[in-house]
């Protein structure tokens, strides 16, 4: 389950920073590699910081496992993918680089989706031989 961050409540409780750790099921359509899927829930560890103007900085990491056929030789394989996730949320409207939130509550859905797309490798490979760019197919 993806938690929401209640910025108003956090402010009222003077919890201006904190950590969120959770797992969630990724949308299968995020994986564009043929015959590959995310085999386990995505693990998210995020740190938030609420700034004086109520904008919120999020940074942390996401980790997940890709499973399926090697993009080169089709052998069954798995790959662990880990990477950073960063976002900046502003209350009411945002320019294109930022996320906006309304009613004092941040929904991480779009941010997590974008972060996963960013971390997603272009292909899944089973070995260094298959990963090597100089490998030539006959
Ligand atoms: Zn392979």
């Amino acid at each position: 389950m993806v938690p929401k961050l209640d910025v108003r409540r956090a402010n009222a409780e003077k919890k201006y920073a904190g950590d969120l750790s959770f797992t969630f099921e990724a949308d299968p359509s995020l994986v564009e590699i043929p015959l590959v899927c995310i085999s386990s829930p995505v693990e998210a560890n995020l740190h938030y910081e609420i700034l004086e103007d109520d904008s919120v900085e999020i940074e942390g990491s996401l980790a997940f496992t890709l499973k399926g056929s090697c993009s080169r030789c089709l052998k069954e394989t798995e790959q662990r993918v880990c990477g950073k996730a960063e976002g900046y949320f502003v209350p009411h409207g945002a320019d294109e680089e930022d996320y906006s939130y309304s009613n004092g509550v941040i929904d991480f859905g779009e941010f997590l989706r974008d972060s996963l797309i960013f971390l997603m490798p272009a292909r899944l490979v089973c070995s260094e031989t298959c990963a090597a760019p100089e490998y030539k197919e006959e």
Side-chain angles (χ1 to χ4, degrees):
M1 262 297 281
V2 178
K4 291 181 171 23
L5 176 61
D6 189 331
V7 179
R8 274 186 205 152
R9 186 199 282 174
N11 272 330
E13 294 174 351
K14 298 192 164 48
K15 287 183 189 157
Y16 303 123
D19 295 301
L20 298 165
S21 295
F22 56 93
T23 59
F24 64 100
E25 294 292 334
D27 178 350
S29 72
L30 292 180
V31 185
E32 293 188 338
I33 316 167
L35 307 175
V36 172
C37 64
I38 296 178
S39 66
S40 60
V42 181
E43 296 147 44
N45 287 291
L46 304 177
H47 179 77
Y48 70 84
E49 212 165 311
I50 304 171
L51 307 179
E52 269 179 43
D53 62 356
D54 280 345
S55 60
V56 179
E57 277 179 351
I58 305 286
E59 59 172 9
S61 62
L62 297 178
F64 58 92
T65 303
L66 287 176
K67 192 173 180 180
S69 298
C70 171
S71 300
R72 192 157 252 162
C73 71
L74 297 182
K75 201 174 114 186
E76 276 295 299
T77 189
E78 270 187 18
Q79 186 191 334
R80 184 90 174 140
V81 181
C82 307
K84 276 182 81 170
E86 282 180 331
Y88 188 71
F89 291 77
V90 297
H92 326 294
D95 60 43
E96 285 176 19
E97 307 247 309
D98 302 328
Y99 297 97
S100 66
Y101 70 95
S102 52
N103 301 322
V105 177
I106 291 182
D107 181 332
F108 293 109
E110 191 191 353
F111 162 68
L112 292 170
R113 196 181 165 85
D114 290 349
S115 301
L116 282 177
I117 291 170
F118 183 73
L119 292 176
M120 198 63 66
R123 59 200 183 132
L124 178 67
V125 287
C126 68
S127 64
E128 287 187 16
T129 315
C130 282
E134 66 270 25
Y135 181 92
K136 288 207 174 63
E137 285 172 341
E138 293 294 310

